Amino acid sequence: MTRNRADALALDAADPLAHCRQRFQLPADLIYLDGNSLGALPVAVGDVMAEVVAQEWGAGLIRSWNERSWIALPTTVGEKIAPLLGAGPGQVIAADSTSVNLFKLLSAALSLNPGRRVVLSATGNFPTDLYVAQGLGQLLGTDRCELRRVADDDIRAALGEDVAVLMLTQVDFRSGRLWDLEQVTDWAHEAGALVLWDLAHSAGAVELALDACRVDMAVGCGYKFLNGGPGAPAFAYVATRHQAQLEQPLSGWMGHAQPFAFAPDYQGATGISRLLCGTPPVLAMRALDVALDVWCDVSLVDVRNKSVALAELLIEQVQSSEALAALQLISPTNAEQRGSQVSFAHRDGFAIMQALIAAGVIGDFREPDVLRFGLTPLYLRYVDVFDAVARLEQIVADDVYLAAEFQHRGTVT
Ligand SMILES: *Cc1c(COP(=O)(O)O)cnc(C)c1O
């Protein structure tokens, strides 16, 4: 069914999340469909950061570690993320990057499952996940760690007796395909493997129930749907039942039971703070901390419902346009199998996306030919999706993207 602009406006008028948009600072006349790569700036972050710099750092100086509880930030920020993951207290910490957290947890998972050495993952998993597993394999040697990659459809069959940990990303970064987290976690457990989920494109976008699904470990990003700012600290989840035996190789002083005892030998803290390594990046932590407040009264059920509705509108509008017939939908058509993004393949995908960005609609391009549109229900309106497709249609119908200026690739795509 093709809708008109008035239908989109009516959907906005009835949107239970409509009031959240004003919590973000968004450039006028820009439609932002890339919040899955870098979330928009929450207004409060701009306000609070000026104060953090002037007061907490400038005036408080080193006293702020105690007086402003800087030292507790990894834990307090972790606890703010926990409800978004369906995680009870004491299991989530904000620290390092997703890649570094993967390294620590993969290594920890291998030691928790002795006698097994394989890290099983999907061929199309996000590259950093695969690279980190390869690096760990080089460090430990193949008799202790070997990455095995198989096609998505072969994951279950590949869960053999040598698999120590299944490492998957719940939402595929290209297609947006969404794994059934509970079912796949059960498969891993039935095969005697642990599961380590990468929730980079899940946290803040889909409903999660890590505790209820008996997930072992998870990691994810602070700067995507959580809006913590460029390079924001990441998070890590370890189920309480594994924490006492948890060994992680980046045994820095912040993960010590008593960092300020300055003892000569390492003794890991009890609990999730054992995952810490060095001093937390306070400014970045504070930005993420404040950004997380936008979720205080938000229901993830509403978020997910709106995400699905935005995606259906986008797909409908593209597929009902003759001019856009060459765009091939590569995301699952079934909403239950799709995260909060919609992707299309097109031979000239890169140039089309560049032209679209020049026309005030930011999405992104992923090799080799993927146009990717992230849907962030807290600040995106239905009318934005409607207008974005109208601009896309114009660019393709008028061959705007063939201009030389849209063919050049920067370092970051
Ligand atoms: C974005 C993303 C990352 C990013 O990792 P960094 O360490 O923050 O660079 C990792 N995994 C997945 C699946 C991602 O989408």
Side-chain angles (χ1 to χ4, degrees), residues 108-117 161 164 194:
L110 287 162
S111 12
L112 280 171
N113 210 346
R116 295 179 173 223
R117 62 186 185 89
E161 285 183 352
L194 295 168

Side-chain angles (χ1 to χ4, degrees), residues 183-202:
Q183 183 183 62
V184 177
T185 300
D186 285 348
W187 292 348
H189 290 168
E190 282 159 19
L194 295 168
V195 70
L196 167 51
W197 284 104
D198 186 334
L199 304 174
H201 289 279
S202 307

Side-chain angles (χ1 to χ4, degrees), residues 235-290:
F235 65 84
Y237 163 94
V238 177
T240 306
R241 64 184 177 281
H242 294 308
Q243 290 179 10
Q245 297 83 29
L246 196 79
E247 285 171 34
Q248 66 98 350
L250 299 185
S251 47
W253 69 315
M254 285 294 150
H256 193 279
Q258 287 182 293
F260 291 90
F262 296 102
D265 291 316
Y266 182 75
Q267 197 202 330
T270 50
I272 192 74
S273 42
R274 181 178 294 208
L275 276 186
L276 295 177
C277 181
T279 305
V282 171
L283 300 182
M285 281 279 177
R286 290 289 277 121
L288 175 59
D289 185 28
V290 177

